[in-house]
Amino acid sequence: INTLIRANVNDLVRRADEPERALDGSLRDMEESVREARARLRVVERNEASLLRQWEQRRAELLDWEERAMEALRSGDETLARECLVMKKRAESTTQRLEEELAQQRAYMADLARSLDALQVKIDGVRSRRQAISSRVSGDQSAPGPVVEAPQGGGFTFNFGDSGGDSSPREE
């Protein structure tokens, strides 16, 4: 009977190691996902900065063409004023398209940042669970393990978190 009980205890300890390894694998996968997402976020931020510069240039161009059209009208050259207004309209169209792209880029950045935050919370939770399992397996006093009693009042009690580190059955 002692051999059977020790085998069961050893099996419980072995199974306790498996969740630890599974959590380690999950942590590695999630941390890799975080690294990839952060790299993607940096690319998206650079793209957003580039779009913003383009928008500023097109906006300045739009205002320049508007000013040129006004000057042409003041000097009495309606043909030149019309040409300037056509160019202003083109710059306005480009500016509007860039504004839409900027809005999409910023929404994507916000979604990506929220996803990163959520993933970090999950990682923290998995780390906590892994630490709790590790503490129970190592017999850490700060996190006592579960007490397993033999059915039918067999008189055996297992405590996997006791300070003596002895997980063998004790007769009561």
Side-chain angles (χ1 to χ4, degrees), residues 2 10 38 44 46 64 71-72 75 80 100 108-109 152 170:
N2 274 344
N10 288 337
R38 284 190 179 136
V44 170
R46 284 191 300 270
D64 186 48
E71 286 179 27
S75 67
L80 181 58
E100 292 167 3
Y108 180 65
M109 283 173 44
Q152 303 294 324
R170 294 185 307 267

Side-chain angles (χ1 to χ4, degrees), residues 44-58 94-95 97-106 109:
V44 170
E45 287 171 341
R46 284 191 300 270
N47 290 344
E48 189 257 352
S50 174
L51 281 172
L52 185 58
R53 281 190 302 277
Q54 290 175 31
W55 177 84
E56 289 169 344
Q57 290 169 347
R58 294 305 159 254
T94 302
T95 301
R97 181 186 53 80
L98 288 169
E99 284 174 3
E100 292 167 3
E101 287 181 35
L102 270 169
Q104 290 173 353
Q105 194 80 355
R106 287 177 176 156
M109 283 173 44

Side-chain angles (χ1 to χ4, degrees), residues 54-123:
Q54 290 175 31
W55 177 84
E56 289 169 344
Q57 290 169 347
R58 294 305 159 254
R59 181 75 180 148
E61 184 179 311
L62 180 148
L63 295 173
D64 186 48
W65 284 114
E66 185 176 26
E67 181 61 34
R68 288 181 185 184
M70 296 301 284
E71 286 179 27
L73 278 178
R74 280 191 290 266
S75 67
D77 191 348
E78 287 186 28
T79 305
L80 181 58
R82 282 191 187 109
E83 290 174 15
C84 290
L85 289 175
V86 167
M87 296 304 288
K88 176 192 173 214
K89 188 71 173 168
R90 286 183 187 162
E92 191 173 52
S93 174
T94 302
T95 301
Q96 186 175 10
R97 181 186 53 80
L98 288 169
E99 284 174 3
E100 292 167 3
E101 287 181 35
L102 270 169
Q104 290 173 353
Q105 194 80 355
R106 287 177 176 156
Y108 180 65
M109 283 173 44
D111 287 345
L112 193 54
R114 278 191 297 274
S115 295
L116 269 170
D117 291 342
L119 187 55
Q120 191 61 53
V121 167
K122 282 185 178 183
I123 287 173

Side-chain angles (χ1 to χ4, degrees), residues 17 23 36 50 54 97 104 130 139 162 165:
D17 284 344
L23 289 175
E36 290 171 3
S50 174
Q54 290 175 31
R97 181 186 53 80
Q104 290 173 353
R130 195 220 179 275
D162 67 309

